[in-house]
């Protein structure tokens, strides 16, 4: 079969000489370069050419007796002389060409390179003009044949073993040792078997040939070839086995590092800090690297498509991060808005002087029994019965319903102000472990917190259990947030912030021995708190929640620091105090906050201010007497102060002028306002005194 070709320049009809295997030549008419690859592919591997192979005669081969072809060690090509016996018509062995086939480009049986005609020099013009108007040339194949090196390791006909090339076209498989000169043909549907890199081709039931596919993709190419011959897939493409350049992995790492930039910037720009931003950045980078590595190694596509896929992964990861940050910021803003909406409306400070300060004490009715308040108004002071031990703390419940007293032994007692002293004595309160140092309440006034050594007992004071729950850590502070009551305490060298387990406090575990400690499994971490907050060696002298919801603490040098709503880093709020701050008080009515230091100074944080005005609250400040007790009146108009020198002053907050100045003969162990602004509770020794404020002011 000749190979008619048309010159792309002069459109002359050309033909190559017999046995031509070159892909480049020149037109003899116009000397233009002509590419012969498509014509050679269409002719050498055309189905008509393959069908004509059966017309040749070849030595008769013995039929296979059912044994499989065993792979043998590869050997160099051999050129055995064929026997003189005729071969069956269905064999695919290519014999020596007959004289009338001298123009057929198919190879001869002799595979010895030294026996072939010498190729023309590169510059020779191999083409000649074709004046024969014969049949048109076959159309070039739409898809290039697939070529790959193979080794024939076994041939049952003993005709050829050694290295060659396999050529796959849509209608079958060719083997050739010289380009465009196939010596063996297996049509699509030829029985094939084998594993790994080796395939066994069974030709017409008479000949078995074992081929081995070398190279890094040998097993994959062998599997695809077997599937092609079985009709399970089309002809493979060279691009399917193209190795990805190594720089694609470097590009995957660069895209992954780009994903880590957003979390790092977020951690530095917000209060989350580097400690939170770095783990998020590492997580995003790891996920991006895993996805990009999968694209590079597993995706069968061109290099531009893989680069686009990695860029899409980066864009998707950045979008997820931006969405998460937006949701987090919206949640924080919503929580802040709720906190502002829940803030109590400040009660204006009473003008100075107040009329209530000039009114005479109310006169108790003579036709009924007197309560403790009535006795204080009538006699100026009412003294309660002695307690089981020395007084250490006192507090009045929100709304002024009752007084709760704490003692050194850990006992507590409850006095309701509407009861009669001669009829109803103190009722027992919850028993706690260790001396009670302070008593505070939650936002509802139902739960009381008794601070003791090593922890704080939390209990429903009006219905106390036999043994209350103890929250480990000190100091301790609780504050009502819109989404739940939170507490803060120091455990070891770290600050812990958790939600208050109200249900467990009201109904503690009665099976526990001793005082049941709050366990980590019972605590819930707020969403904006990232674990525990390291203190960096600075153990706070006090903990308190500012009325704005910021957590405050004190350092030994008198500076006051803040961790914001949830940490993690503190900032110095003020250095106005020159000594360590250990006591504080807050007024829910006005939003005022007060701090007292060891040098006798009191800081007034008026109307939720974040900077205090420090002043000498007692006359003993020159002696450096430590401030021991602070208490706001129910209306927030007055502030009572007691120091280590037993000096008690009461200040009008609006005018910053004293209305009471008295030195007590015995140490003041506890201090609180009574149910109203004009009653003051003082704890001395084993008892309490309820003073009418004007009468207390008359004391020396």
């Amino acid at each position: 079969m000749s190979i008619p070709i048309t010159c792309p320049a002069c459109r002359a009809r050309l033909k190559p000489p017999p046995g031509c295997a070159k892909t480049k030549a020149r037109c003899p008419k116009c000397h233009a370069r002509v590419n012969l690859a498509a014509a050679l592919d269409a002719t050498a591997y055309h189905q008509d050419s393959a069908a004509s192979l059966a017309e040749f005669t070849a030595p008769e081969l013995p039929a296979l007796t059912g044994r499989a072809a065993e792979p043998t060690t590869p050997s160099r090509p051999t050129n055995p002389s064929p026997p003189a016996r005729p071969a069956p018509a269905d064999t695919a062995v290519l014999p020596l060409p007959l004289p009338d086939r001298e123009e057929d480009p198919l190879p001869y049986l002799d595979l010895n390179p030294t026996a072939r005609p010498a190729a023309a020099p590169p510059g020779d013009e191999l083409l000649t003009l074709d004046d024969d108007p014969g049949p048109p040339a076959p159309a070039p194949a739409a898809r290039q044949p697939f070529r790959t090196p193979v080794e024939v390791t076994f041939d049952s006909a003993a005709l050829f073993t050694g290295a060659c090339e396999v050529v796959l076209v849509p209608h079958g498989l060719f083997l050739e040792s010289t380009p465009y000169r196939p010596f063996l043909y297996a049509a699509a549907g030829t029985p094939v078997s084998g594993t790994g890199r080796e395939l066994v081709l069974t030709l017409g039931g008479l000949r078995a040939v074992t081929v081995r596919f070398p190279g890094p993709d040998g097993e994959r190419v062998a599997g695809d070839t077997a599937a092609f011959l079985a009709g399970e897939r089309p002809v493979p493409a060279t691009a399917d086995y193209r190795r990805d350049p190594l720089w694609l992995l470097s590009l995957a790492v660069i895209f992954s590092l780009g994903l880590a930039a957003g979390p790092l910037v977020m951690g530095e720009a917000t209060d989350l800090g580097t400690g939170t931003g770095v783990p998020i950045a590492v997580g995003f980078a790891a996920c991006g690297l895993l996805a990009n590595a999968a694209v590079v190694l597993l995706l069968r596509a061109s290099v531009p498509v893989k680069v686009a896929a990695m860029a899409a992964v980066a864009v998707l990861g950045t979008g997820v991060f931006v969405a998460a940050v937006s949701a987090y910021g919206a949640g924080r803003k919503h929580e802040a808005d709720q906190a502002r909406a829940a803030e109590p409306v400040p009660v204006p400070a009473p003008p100075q002087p107040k009329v209530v300060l000039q009114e005479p004490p109310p006169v108790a009715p003579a036709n009924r029994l007197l309560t403790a308040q009535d006795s204080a108004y009538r006699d100026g002071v009412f003294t309660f019965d002695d307690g089981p031990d020395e007084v250490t703390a006192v507090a009045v419940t929100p709304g002024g319903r009752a007084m709760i007293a704490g003692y050194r032994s850990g006992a507590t007692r409850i006095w309701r102000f509407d009861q009669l002293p001669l009829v109803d004595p103190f009722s027992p309160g919850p028993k706690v472990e260790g001396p009670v140092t302070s008593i505070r309440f939650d936002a509802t006034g139902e739960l009381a917190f008794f601070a003791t050594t090593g922890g704080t007992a939390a209990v429903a004071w009006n219905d106390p259990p036999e043994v209350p729950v103890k929250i480990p850590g000190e100091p301790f502070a609780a504050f009502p947030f819109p989404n739940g009551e939170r507490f803060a305490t120091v455990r070891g060298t770290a600050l812990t912030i958790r939600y208050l387990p109200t249900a467990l406090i009201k109904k503690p575990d009665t099976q526990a021995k001793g005082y049941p400690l709050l366990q980590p499994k019972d605590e819930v971490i707020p969403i904006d708190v990232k674990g525990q907050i390291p203190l960096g060696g600075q153990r706070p002298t006090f903990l308190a929640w500012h009325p704005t919801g910021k957590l405050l603490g004190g350092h030994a040098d008198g500076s006051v620091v803040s961790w914001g709503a949830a940490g993690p880093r503190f900032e110095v709020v003020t250095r106005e105090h020159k000594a360590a701050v250990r006591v504080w008080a807050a007024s829910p009515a006005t939003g005022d906050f007060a701090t007292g230091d060891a040098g006798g100074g009191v800081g007034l944080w008026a109307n939720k201010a974040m900077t205090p005005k420090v002043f000498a609250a007692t006359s003993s400040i020159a002696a450096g007497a430590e401030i021991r007790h602070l208490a706001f009146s129910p209306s927030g108009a007055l502030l009572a102060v007691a120091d280590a020198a037993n000096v008690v002053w009461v200040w009008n907050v609006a005018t910053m002028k004293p209305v009471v100045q008295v030195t007590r003969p015995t140490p003041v162990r506890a201090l609180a306002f009574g149910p109203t602004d004009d009653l003051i509770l003082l704890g001395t020794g084993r008892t309490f005194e309820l003073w009418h404020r004007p009468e207390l002011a008359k004391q020396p």
Side-chain angles (χ1 to χ4, degrees):
M1 181 184 296
S2 61
I3 311 176
I5 303 168
T6 301
C7 175
C10 65
R11 311 305 296 176
R13 212 176 142 78
L14 310 174
K15 67 177 179 178
C20 174
K22 296 189 62 175
T23 59
K24 301 291 183 181
R26 290 184 180 273
C27 174
K29 185 175 182 180
C30 65
H31 300 284
R33 286 191 175 274
V34 181
N35 192 329
L36 306 180
L40 290 174
D41 287 339
T43 305
Y45 311 116
H46 195 266
Q47 196 163 3
D48 293 340
S49 299
S52 66
L53 299 181
E55 301 174 5
F56 297 109
T57 60
E60 182 178 352
L61 299 176
L64 295 179
T65 59
R67 61 180 182 88
E70 298 293 337
T72 61
T73 304
S75 61
R76 293 181 301 172
T78 59
N79 299 299
S81 299
R85 290 178 299 173
D90 59 350
T91 181
V93 179
L94 305 184
L96 290 170
L98 299 179
D100 59 344
R101 297 285 181 171
E102 61 183 6
E103 293 185 0
D104 198 303
L106 296 179
Y108 301 97
L109 183 63
D110 185 4
L111 302 176
N112 188 350
T114 60
R116 302 177 194 143
D124 288 354
E125 298 175 350
L126 300 177
L127 302 182
T128 58
L129 294 175
D130 183 16
D131 298 328
D132 184 7
R143 185 171 183 176
Q144 294 295 324
F146 174 75
R147 299 174 180 271
T148 186
V150 295
E151 288 181 277
V152 177
T153 61
F154 179 80
D155 186 355
S156 63
L159 294 181
F160 177 82
T161 56
C164 59
E165 278 194 343
V166 65
V167 182
L168 300 182
V169 293
H171 54 81
L173 173 150
F174 290 90
L175 291 181
E176 63 182 22
S177 62
T178 302
Y180 302 108
R181 293 190 177 185
F183 64 85
L184 185 143
Y185 169 71
T190 299
V192 61
S193 61
T195 58
R197 297 174 177 268
E198 292 188 342
L199 294 180
V200 179
L201 305 176
T202 303
L203 306 174
L206 299 177
R207 182 181 182 186
V209 177
T210 302
V211 294
R212 184 178 183 275
F213 293 81
D217 295 321
E219 292 186 10
R220 182 178 166 193
V221 177
D224 290 346
T225 301
F228 159 70
L229 290 177
E232 298 174 357
R233 61 156 296 157
V235 177
T238 305
D240 294 340
Y241 311 100
R242 185 179 294 118
R243 311 295 292 184
D244 291 318
L246 294 179
W247 60 266
L248 275 180
L249 293 177
S250 302
L251 190 62
V253 174
I254 293 174
F255 277 123
S256 303
L257 294 178
L259 287 175
L264 290 177
V265 173
M266 178 200 68
E268 291 294 335
T270 64
D271 59 353
L272 294 178
T274 306
T276 302
V278 170
I280 298 177
V282 172
F284 267 84
C287 293
L289 183 59
L290 183 62
N292 290 338
V295 169
V296 173
L297 301 177
L298 303 180
L299 181 63
R300 295 188 179 184
S302 62
V303 172
V305 172
K306 291 188 176 184
V307 173
M310 289 189 289
V313 170
V315 171
L316 180 62
T318 304
V320 171
F321 171 73
V322 171
V325 171
S326 301
Y328 172 77
R332 290 293 300 271
K333 182 177 182 301
H334 179 66
E335 183 174 328
D337 293 341
Q338 285 186 330
R340 284 194 295 269
E343 291 176 359
V345 179
V347 178
Q352 191 260 339
K354 291 292 291 181
V355 176
V356 68
L357 301 179
Q358 301 177 357
E359 290 181 349
V363 178
N367 58 349
R368 66 177 176 85
L369 296 177
L370 301 181
T371 64
Q373 294 170 266
D374 297 334
S375 298
Y377 286 135
R378 185 191 65 182
D379 303 328
V381 63
F382 175 80
T383 303
F384 295 89
D385 295 337
D386 289 350
D389 204 339
E390 287 191 2
V391 170
T392 54
V394 66
V396 176
T397 61
R401 296 171 53 194
M403 171 189 75
I404 301 179
Y407 299 90
R408 187 180 301 276
S409 63
T412 62
R413 299 198 299 174
I414 301 173
W415 180 276
R416 290 171 172 77
F417 285 108
D418 58 354
Q419 70 187 28
L420 300 177
L422 299 178
V423 178
D424 298 321
F426 277 99
S427 59
K431 182 72 170 65
V432 299
E433 186 179 24
V436 181
T437 57
S438 68
I439 304 173
R440 302 188 187 277
F441 301 92
D442 70 342
T444 64
E446 297 180 0
L447 300 182
F449 304 107
F450 299 90
T452 62
T453 304
T456 298
V459 61
W461 66 269
N462 201 28
D463 185 19
E466 183 176 352
V467 180
V469 174
K470 186 174 182 179
I471 302 175
E474 60 175 331
F476 174 91
F479 187 79
F481 278 79
N483 51 358
E485 189 97 3
R486 296 186 188 182
F487 71 86
T489 188
V490 176
R491 296 173 180 170
T493 59
L495 180 64
T496 300
I497 302 176
R498 300 288 187 269
Y499 280 122
L500 195 68
T502 305
L504 180 63
I505 291 173
K506 292 182 178 180
K507 292 184 179 181
D509 183 8
T510 57
Q511 303 298 325
K513 296 181 180 180
Y515 289 89
L517 286 176
L518 190 64
Q519 300 299 319
K521 64 182 180 64
D522 302 322
E523 300 177 344
V524 178
I525 304 176
I527 191 173
D528 55 345
V529 176
K530 305 303 180 183
Q532 293 186 325
I533 303 169
L535 295 175
Q538 289 276 9
R539 187 176 183 84
T541 57
F542 81 98
L543 278 182
W545 293 94
H546 191 268
T548 58
K550 291 187 176 182
L551 183 61
L552 302 181
H555 285 175
D557 60 356
S559 59
V560 178
V561 300
S562 170
W563 289 273
R569 295 176 296 179
F570 71 83
E571 58 180 355
V572 177
V573 175
T574 178
R575 300 184 187 273
E576 294 296 322
H577 285 283
K578 304 306 178 184
V581 176
R582 291 191 174 88
V583 295
W584 59 275
S587 172
T590 62
D592 292 342
F593 187 74
T595 48
D597 61 41
V602 172
L604 180 62
W605 310 57
N607 194 23
K608 299 184 180 181
M610 290 303 298
T611 303
K613 179 181 180 182
V614 179
F615 64 99
T618 66
S619 57
S620 58
I621 189 171
E626 180 179 2
I627 302 298
R628 296 284 181 82
H629 306 284
L630 293 172
F632 279 100
S633 65
S635 68
L638 303 175
L639 175 65
V641 183
D643 64 12
N646 304 332
V647 178
V648 177
W649 283 43
V650 178
W651 291 81
N652 187 312
V653 176
T655 63
M656 294 303 294
K657 292 183 179 180
V659 294
V660 173
Q661 177 183 351
V662 62
T663 301
R664 299 295 298 155
T666 56
V668 178
R669 304 294 185 186
L671 170 67
F673 274 90
T676 59
D677 285 17
D678 55 357
L679 294 175
I680 297 179
L681 280 163
L682 299 178
T684 58
R686 300 168 67 95
T687 188
F688 290 92
E689 297 174 350
L690 181 62
W691 282 90
H692 185 224
R693 182 168 41 79
E695 187 64 27
L696 179 63
K698 297 176 184 178
Q699 303 302 309

